[in-house]
Amino acid sequence: MADGLDAAMVTPAPSSHSPDSTLTARIAEATALREGPEGVAQVLRIVFRDGPLPLRDLARQARLPLPVAGAVRRELENAALFERGGGVRLTEAGRAFCAETLGLEGSAQPRPVAPVAAGPDLPEALHAVLGAMEEQVTAGPPVDVTLDQAPCTPETALRRALAMHEAGAVEGRHIAIMGDDDSMSVAIPLVARALGIGGPRRITVFELDPSRCRQLREAAERIGAPVEIVPQDLRDPLPAGFHGGFDVLETDPPYTLPGMALFLRRGLEALRRETGLPVFLSYGDLAPGDQLACLRELAALGLAASRIRPSFNRYAGASILGSTGQLLELRTTDEVPDAVEAERFAAPIYTGEVRPKLRRYRCQNCGTAVVVGHGESFATIERLKAAGCPACGETRFRREGLVRR
């Protein structure tokens, strides 16, 4: 793994003298901005990163109608955060607001960033940190297929973090990650370093696997990133102290609709109650009917898709996904349900539980047949081999096929 991050990577908490953090809410209300305070903050982020900009370019990047973008600009000018001169630009007060309230770092000049590639190739800007990401993935604990673990490739993790940055979801953010088989808590700080930008103020990972928790915690210490690891079975409600404290959600959940919905519900518990907050969901590429069911589930959770990238993710050995999967960029709406799960979610969420497959293996020494799968003594062939044949202790087995019950 690479040496510790530059000092700029660990963003200090806002000082007590930070500019008024309710300003974005007041401007959103004054302009009747449907995207809410997050939409105003996104306009500021774009101008900080790429300004000065013509208004039409700002509107295009912010995905706002031109008159709406103009209204937001006027309110930010009235607040002395924007000024005109060769395009929309930040004032000194605007730069201070972006630094202290939004947690952005660096100059407010355009910074060329290689676009996220459509295929598996890694943008050149991220080559410098690929080795560190490869070491992180290689050093990971054994995969537990009963938990639908199928880590993405190092390149995918970096490209996904870059996509988050391009959506304004990295600098100065409070990011919640529901399950982190993909080591996104490592990829996000590494991408921030590669691009020379400020990192998140806070990354909190909710992870069930103790071995994965330990590895992620050690990685965070090694690279000097502001990451906290919370051991958590997401079938249980989040601890009360983690409700409503985050403004970005990232997850690569189990490959079932119940599992996906549960991970997103837990993530929504963690997010602030605000329209327009970014949510990044990685999920399998689906047939049209299954994709429709997926989008219906997202709509029921009050999440709107702003961008869908088929086959964006690459996975090593994830045959259940065909080794690829989509990245869905979502935004919260005012229809996110208010209810918080108060009890443990008892229904099946993992593939082996929802669509169980039982396989018969035969011991190559004594011929004893052993059925492997969910609900059996051995959930996987790996666990059977580790324990040995129940009759003779042999560790070599021959697969005979599926068992129908």
Side-chain angles (χ1 to χ4, degrees):
M1 177 65 71
D3 294 333
L5 300 181
D6 296 338
M9 276 301 308
V10 181
T11 309
S15 72
S16 59
H17 303 291
S18 296
D20 187 356
S21 61
T22 65
L23 178 62
T24 55
R26 294 204 305 271
I27 291 176
E29 183 177 2
T31 56
L33 187 65
R34 297 180 66 182
E35 289 77 8
E38 177 62 23
V40 179
Q42 182 70 345
V43 168
L44 285 159
R45 290 188 182 94
I46 291 168
V47 176
F48 180 89
R49 186 179 67 231
D50 296 331
L53 282 171
L55 180 61
R56 67 173 62 88
D57 291 349
L58 173 59
R60 175 180 53 80
Q61 289 195 42
R63 299 182 183 179
L64 294 175
L66 190 59
V68 174
V72 174
R73 179 196 63 185
R74 284 193 298 274
E75 290 296 329
L76 287 166
E77 287 173 347
N78 292 338
L81 300 188
F82 275 2
E83 63 184 2
R84 303 189 198 188
V88 183
R89 65 193 319 149
L90 290 167
T91 63
E92 287 298 323
R95 281 189 284 274
F97 185 91
C98 287
E100 298 176 33
T101 300
L102 301 183
L104 308 185
E105 295 184 5
S107 71
Q109 300 302 314
R111 182 184 295 111
V113 175
V116 174
D121 295 335
L122 191 69
E124 184 176 355
L126 304 187
H127 289 178
V129 293
L130 177 58
M133 197 67 216
E134 289 175 335
E135 288 185 25
Q136 169 68 17
V137 172
T138 300
V143 169
D144 187 344
V145 297
T146 66
L147 300 180
D148 280 358
Q149 289 181 344
C152 68
T153 64
E155 294 88 349
T156 289
L158 293 176
R159 290 173 61 244
R160 196 187 293 171
L162 178 57
M164 294 176 65
H165 161 65
E166 291 182 340
V170 171
E171 285 187 273
R173 293 293 204 163
H174 297 257
I175 302 174
I177 300 177
M178 298 294 137
D180 198 17
D181 302 340
D182 299 325
S183 295
M184 289 302 299
S185 59
V186 177
I188 293 168
L190 288 179
V191 165
R193 179 175 71 178
L195 300 181
I197 63 173
R201 282 188 171 134
R202 175 189 189 190
I203 301 177
T204 300
V205 176
F206 300 88
E207 171 61 47
L208 173 62
D209 185 348
S211 298
R212 185 75 58 182
C213 287
R214 182 167 53 253
Q215 190 218 12
L216 294 173
R217 189 176 291 111
E218 292 171 353
E221 294 173 356
R222 188 160 54 247
I223 65 177
V227 179
E228 86 180 303
I229 310 298
V230 179
Q232 175 75 22
D233 185 341
L234 291 174
R235 286 172 289 204
D236 294 319
L238 299 185
F242 294 101
H243 288 185
F246 299 86
D247 54 21
V248 176
L249 169 62
E250 193 279 335
T251 188
D252 192 335
Y255 317 129
T256 66
L257 282 181
M260 179 197 77
L262 176 63
F263 274 50
L264 287 173
R265 282 201 297 272
R266 296 300 183 219
L268 292 173
E269 290 178 22
L271 290 185
R272 299 199 307 256
R273 303 298 299 174
E274 188 174 312
T275 295
L277 297 183
V279 175
F280 296 84
L281 167 66
S282 291
Y283 202 60
D285 285 330
L286 300 172
D290 293 330
Q291 184 77 349
L292 179 60
C294 173
L295 295 176
R296 283 174 173 159
E297 195 73 55
L298 296 177
L301 292 170
L303 294 171
S306 58
R307 188 172 187 182
I308 299 177
R309 307 189 195 202
S311 302
F312 180 96
N313 296 308
R314 300 289 190 271
Y315 299 87
S319 58
I320 192 169
L321 296 176
S323 297
T324 65
Q326 61 184 316
L327 177 65
L328 297 96
E329 297 183 24
L330 312 168
R331 294 277 172 171
T332 59
T333 72
D334 57 8
E335 295 186 18
V336 170
D338 290 328
V340 173
E341 299 282 346
E343 299 179 355
R344 178 177 174 83
F345 187 82
I349 61 171
Y350 296 110
T351 303
E353 301 170 334
V354 176
R355 298 185 295 272
K357 288 185 178 179
L358 302 180
R359 290 184 171 88
R360 179 182 291 107
Y361 290 85
R362 194 167 297 277
C363 175
Q364 293 193 24
N365 179 52
C366 71
T368 296
V370 182
V371 175
V372 172
H374 178 70
E376 301 295 324
S377 299
F378 303 100
T380 66
I381 181 59
E382 290 76 16
R383 293 182 182 179
L384 173 58
K385 288 180 178 179
C389 173
C392 70
E394 176 62 57
T395 58
R396 294 174 301 136
F397 297 86
R398 180 179 67 255
R399 189 170 75 176
E400 294 190 336
L402 294 174
V403 177
R404 299 190 182 276
R405 290 284 174 87

